[in-house]
Amino acid sequence: GSEASTIAAEAAATAGACLYDACVPITPNPATLACRSLVPALCEALLCQLSNFEFLREAIWALWNAVNLPAEFSQRGEAVQKDLLVEIMRNSPNEMLMAMALTTNLSTLDYDAMEPSLRL
């Protein structure tokens, strides 16, 4: 029901907070380490036909939080960013389905859904 959907959306938002700045090249970076368990789950969420709009929006934002590279780290963090993007695509059972899941949000006319989809 709606309670489970709300909880799922909040969990995805919390995952996004945990993944914030995962591309920052510090060792060890807890956010980068969290990607090992959170990125596969978020990728599956994008491909699940039962996921509602709010949950999908939060899952996409969480993935964007992981790969968003702050400008001050752009030189040193690009390798980490590339690895995380590859990890996102590798965790998708079908790259085309992942691309479709991201582009579906472009038609929502909801800026909070469109922005991370475009960026990813």
Side-chain angles (χ1 to χ4, degrees), residues 23 39-40 43 63 67 78-93 95 98 120:
C23 285
V39 166
C43 289
L63 290 170
V67 299
E78 287 178 357
V80 178
Q81 184 182 44
K82 180 183 170 214
D83 290 345
L84 287 174
L85 287 168
V86 168
E87 182 76 11
I88 289 169
M89 293 311 289
R90 188 177 62 82
N91 277 296
S92 172
E95 292 175 9
M98 179 64 81
L120 281 172

Side-chain angles (χ1 to χ4, degrees), residues 51-91:
S51 297
N52 69 10
F53 174 74
E54 288 80 17
F55 180 55
L56 290 173
R57 181 182 61 214
E58 294 300 335
I60 292 170
W61 267 112
L63 290 170
W64 172 245
N65 281 344
V67 299
N68 183 26
L69 185 60
E72 62 268 21
F73 295 105
S74 63
Q75 295 283 330
R76 298 179 303 157
E78 287 178 357
V80 178
Q81 184 182 44
K82 180 183 170 214
D83 290 345
L84 287 174
L85 287 168
V86 168
E87 182 76 11
I88 289 169
M89 293 311 289
R90 188 177 62 82
N91 277 296

